[in-house]
Amino acid sequence: MKRVITYGTFDMLHYGHINLLKRAKEMGDYLIVALSTDEFNWHSKQKKTYFSYEKRKQLLEAIRYVDLVIPEEAWDQKTSDVKLYKVDTFVMGDDWAGQFDFLQDETDAEVVYLARTPEISTTQIKKDLNTKDLTTNHKSKTD
């Protein structure tokens, strides 16, 4: 059985996230998602989530590509997670390219950086949600 692991916040779960999870799952038989806890997001990333850890975990568990969700509580837990769960492939989005190459030496796991889905991002969704008039970029047929 080939095991794959990926990490993330997965706030506002959207098509881009699901696409990334699907491609990660295609790389093995068992997909583990290390989901950033609320405390880790705030204290280590200075990032506020819109949905709680529990809600984000429930949503990830409902996606058929995901076999196991574990908490991400520290930056440095990746090496121990890869060893503990006997991971063959570590997958992250390509915006993290090069930052986890050390795992290949420390764990023998293959490190893969997948291209993000260009059409959508959490950053763009949050930006759009904070604009006053969301319809300005979406003209109807009557305009």
Side-chain angles (χ1 to χ4, degrees), residues 75-129:
W75 287 111
D76 61 355
Q77 78 181 60
K78 291 170 181 62
T79 300
S80 59
D81 285 348
V82 169
K83 290 177 181 178
L84 177 65
Y85 293 99
K86 298 176 175 54
V87 170
D88 301 290
T89 307
F90 175 93
V91 176
M92 289 296 283
D94 63 0
D95 52 332
W96 291 95
Q99 297 200 28
F100 301 107
D101 292 349
F102 67 90
L103 288 170
Q104 288 185 175
D105 297 329
E106 292 181 8
T107 67
D108 293 328
E110 176 185 16
V111 176
V112 177
Y113 301 100
L114 294 176
R116 296 287 179 140
T117 305
E119 300 87 15
I120 193 164
S121 75
T122 301
T123 303
Q124 186 62 46
I125 290 171
K126 287 180 180 180
K127 181 180 171 192
D128 288 349
L129 285 173

Side-chain angles (χ1 to χ4, degrees), residues 12-91:
M12 303 179 73
L13 192 63
H14 56 68
Y15 172 76
H17 292 140
I18 295 168
N19 188 30
L20 184 79
L21 294 169
K22 177 184 178 197
R23 290 182 295 145
K25 175 68 175 209
E26 289 171 348
M27 301 180 85
D29 305 301
Y30 192 84
L31 178 60
I32 302 163
V33 176
L35 180 63
S36 301
T37 64
D38 298 333
E39 295 79 14
F40 177 63
N41 275 324
W42 183 248
H43 295 295
S44 296
K45 300 179 183 180
Q46 289 69 51
K47 192 176 186 182
K48 181 181 179 340
T49 57
Y50 283 75
F51 298 102
S52 70
Y53 174 84
E54 292 78 18
K55 183 64 175 173
R56 291 179 288 122
K57 183 176 189 264
Q58 286 175 343
L59 292 170
L60 283 168
E61 289 172 338
I63 298 172
R64 69 182 176 124
Y65 309 121
V66 177
D67 296 296
L68 177 65
V69 178
I70 61 172
E72 179 187 23
E73 299 172 307
W75 287 111
D76 61 355
Q77 78 181 60
K78 291 170 181 62
T79 300
S80 59
D81 285 348
V82 169
K83 290 177 181 178
L84 177 65
Y85 293 99
K86 298 176 175 54
V87 170
D88 301 290
T89 307
F90 175 93
V91 176

